[in-house]
């Protein structure tokens, strides 16, 4: 029996955070979200699943389970990558409840409140199986070894890169090259700027404790968004003429921007829908198979507004914005580009992984 089943509370930490990241410590629970200074630490469990099994974890179909929350932008990267590369049959998917309690991401969406493959009620149980007494938080995405029930990795930075480069033997026919070798330096440079100013910047603004911290972070968010808008004005994608890892990492923040970050995190100089280039770019990606079919706006909104009680103590979830615009024409195809390069779009969403109607436009 794990410590969670024994009643010991260990605070869950979303979006790749640990307990020092401004979202509450083990004693404060969800009430601490937004009340502590924001920092982001590197993932603690950084083992890699590779073709040469250098860390002892070989790429193997059916051996591992990817645990995510559709609310979390960092976990959503892994869901998009898995879809685009066609890894669904090789790597099963567990979807956690977007509403955490103080013991971590939980599997209350599943029958009897247990993940049907791992047999656990809380993701923290897989962490406990890997390292007893681990003091950090419980984050998604996480990959769990099914036979042992042990956590393998929660390194959200590396997981998708390994999907693209180490899991190639299990890719579907026609899978795109999301991290092409000849463009990696440029992709890495773009992703570093996006990570610091946009992916992370919205959180620094939203969890700021002082006016000056908020204003600095918010200025950085919009300065980078304006630069990205200029970059994308004449280019369909961020690097090259096909989809890459860089587009995935920007998309998962943009798709949450108007629904959450504009209001909840006070990144409100303008809405995504008010920038013609970024709005068209985001709609183009949303309407591309593998992107929008993984997005659950209901999970996104309920998580942020109900879990971050330090920011939103009433836990009221807003009714807007209107999502219909995500399905309107974007005309980005006029810029050219080949979304999947020499490959093909992914097939239909596997049965049981469809986003419910409540989460779609």
């Amino acid at each position: 029996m794990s410590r969670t089943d024994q009643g010991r509370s260990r605070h869950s930490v979303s979006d790749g955070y640990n307990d020092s990241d401004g979202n509450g410590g083990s004693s404060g629970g969800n009430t601490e979200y937004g009340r502590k200074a924001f920092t982001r630490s590197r993932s603690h469990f950084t083992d890699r699943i590779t073709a040469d099994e250098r860390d002892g974890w070989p790429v193997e179909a059916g051996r591992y389970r990817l645990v995510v929350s559709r609310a979390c932008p960092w976990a959503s990267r892994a869901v998009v990558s898995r879809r685009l590369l066609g890894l669904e049959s090789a790597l099963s998917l567990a979807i956690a409840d977007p509403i955490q309690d103080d013991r971590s991401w939980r599997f209350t969406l599943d029958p009897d409140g247990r993940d049907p493959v791992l047999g656990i009620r809380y993701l923290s149980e897989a962490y406990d199986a890997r390292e007893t007494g681990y003091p950090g938080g419980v984050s998604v995405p996480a990959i769990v070894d099914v036979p042992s029930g042990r956590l393998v990795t929660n390194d959200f930075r590396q997981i998708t890169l390994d999907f693209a480069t180490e899991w190639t033997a299990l890719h579907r026919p026609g899978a795109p090259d999301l991290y092409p070798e000849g463009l990696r330096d440029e992709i890495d440079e773009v992703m570093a700027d996006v990570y610091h100013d946009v992916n992370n910047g919205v959180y620094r603004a939203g969890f700021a404790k002082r006016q000056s911290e908020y204003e600095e972070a918010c200025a950085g968010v919009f300065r980078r968004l304006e630069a990205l808008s200029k970059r994308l004005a004449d280019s369909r994608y961020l690097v090259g003429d096909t989809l890459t890892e860089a587009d995935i990492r920007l998309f998962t923040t943009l798709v949450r921007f108007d629904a959450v970050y504009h209001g909840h995190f006070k990144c409100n100089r303008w809405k995504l829908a008010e920038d013609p280039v970024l709005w068209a770019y985001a709609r183009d990606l949303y309407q591309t198979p593998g992107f929008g079919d993984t997005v659950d706006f209901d999970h996104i909104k309920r998580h942020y507004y109900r879990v971050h009680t330090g920011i939103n103590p009433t836990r009221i979830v807003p009714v807007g914005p209107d999502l219909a615009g995500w399905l309107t024409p974007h005309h980005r195809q006029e810029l050219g580009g080949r979304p999947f390069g020499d490959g093909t779009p992914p097939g239909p969403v596997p049965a049981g992984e469809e986003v419910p109607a409540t989460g779609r436009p």
Side-chain angles (χ1 to χ4, degrees):
M1 180 178 291
S2 75
R3 292 201 308 269
T4 52
D5 283 332
Q6 292 169 351
R8 176 173 176 174
S9 172
R10 178 162 67 184
H11 177 56
S12 60
V13 182
S14 67
D15 305 340
Y17 308 155
N18 71 15
D19 284 343
S20 66
D21 289 328
N23 293 337
S26 58
S27 62
N30 292 342
T31 59
E32 291 300 306
Y33 278 77
R35 298 185 185 276
K36 300 177 72 175
F38 180 87
T39 59
R40 191 182 300 282
S41 301
R42 291 198 62 84
S43 303
H44 181 76
F45 299 101
T46 57
D47 284 4
R48 295 174 60 190
I49 301 169
T50 59
D52 65 3
E53 56 185 291
R54 68 196 71 162
D55 289 343
W57 304 104
V59 171
E60 183 180 326
R63 175 167 176 175
Y64 307 101
R65 189 154 173 82
L66 174 64
V67 182
V68 303
S69 164
R70 291 197 189 274
C72 167
W74 318 96
S76 293
R77 296 176 180 179
V79 181
V80 173
S81 177
R82 174 178 173 270
R83 276 278 290 138
L84 294 176
L85 298 174
L87 292 172
E88 295 103 320
S89 61
L91 177 66
S92 65
L93 184 68
I95 300 173
D97 192 319
I99 309 301
Q100 304 151 279
D101 67 19
D102 291 339
R103 289 169 290 183
S104 86
W105 297 103
R106 53 189 184 166
F107 297 108
T108 46
L109 301 179
D110 295 303
D112 301 321
R114 290 186 181 273
D115 179 79
V117 173
L118 300 173
I120 57 178
R121 296 173 58 214
Y122 294 91
L123 177 56
S124 59
E125 295 175 56
Y127 278 68
D128 288 342
R130 171 66 186 272
E131 182 176 320
T132 302
Y134 163 61
V138 177
S139 65
V140 289
I143 297 182
V144 179
D145 178 50
V146 174
S148 67
R150 298 168 62 210
L151 176 75
V152 176
T153 178
N154 66 347
D155 190 351
F156 65 95
R157 293 173 177 85
Q158 190 63 42
I159 285 173
T160 50
L161 297 180
D162 283 343
F163 283 173
T165 60
E166 297 288 339
W167 291 63
T168 53
L170 299 177
H171 287 183
R172 65 178 175 85
D177 187 352
L178 297 176
Y179 198 46
E181 191 168 359
L183 296 175
R184 288 180 188 177
D185 288 346
E186 186 178 1
I187 291 171
D188 290 345
E189 182 179 359
V190 170
M191 291 193 305
D193 289 339
V194 168
Y195 173 80
H196 182 271
D197 294 333
V198 181
N199 302 147
N200 230 18
V202 294
Y203 283 88
R204 291 200 308 273
F207 291 122
K209 293 182 65 181
R210 293 191 291 271
Q211 185 72 28
S212 60
E213 292 175 353
Y214 158 72
E215 292 182 4
E216 179 181 4
C218 195
V221 168
F222 286 95
R223 184 168 55 247
R224 182 61 58 190
L225 289 178
E226 288 163 358
L228 290 167
S229 182
K230 291 179 181 178
R231 182 185 185 99
L232 290 163
D234 301 311
S235 177
R236 189 172 181 184
Y237 303 112
L238 283 171
V239 181
D241 66 349
T242 64
L243 292 164
T244 69
E245 176 79 11
D247 297 296
I248 296 173
R249 296 191 182 196
L250 179 57
F251 172 77
T252 58
T253 293
L254 294 184
V255 79
R256 289 162 172 77
F257 201 88
D258 288 1
V260 174
Y261 303 144
H262 180 271
H264 185 59
F265 280 174
K266 306 179 184 69
C267 294
N268 60 358
R269 274 188 53 197
W270 38 264
K271 295 179 180 178
L272 176 67
E274 294 170 352
D275 184 289
V277 173
L278 289 180
W279 178 222
Y281 167 77
R283 297 198 321 275
D284 185 8
L285 294 183
Y286 184 86
Q287 294 171 33
T288 299
F291 284 84
D293 55 28
T294 70
V295 175
D296 191 325
F297 285 104
D298 173 61
H299 278 208
I300 290 168
K301 288 171 58 177
R302 286 196 293 124
H303 169 73
Y304 282 91
Y305 286 101
R306 292 190 61 189
V307 173
H308 295 172
T309 53
I311 296 175
N312 185 39
T314 65
R315 305 182 78 208
I316 292 173
V317 180
V319 297
D322 184 359
L323 301 176
W326 284 101
L327 303 179
T328 59
H330 52 77
H331 305 294
R332 293 281 293 179
Q333 66 275 9
E334 297 171 9
L335 294 173
R338 303 174 302 139
F340 301 98
D342 295 329
T344 58
V349 177
E353 293 186 13
E354 304 93 340
V355 174
T358 53
R360 295 184 272 114

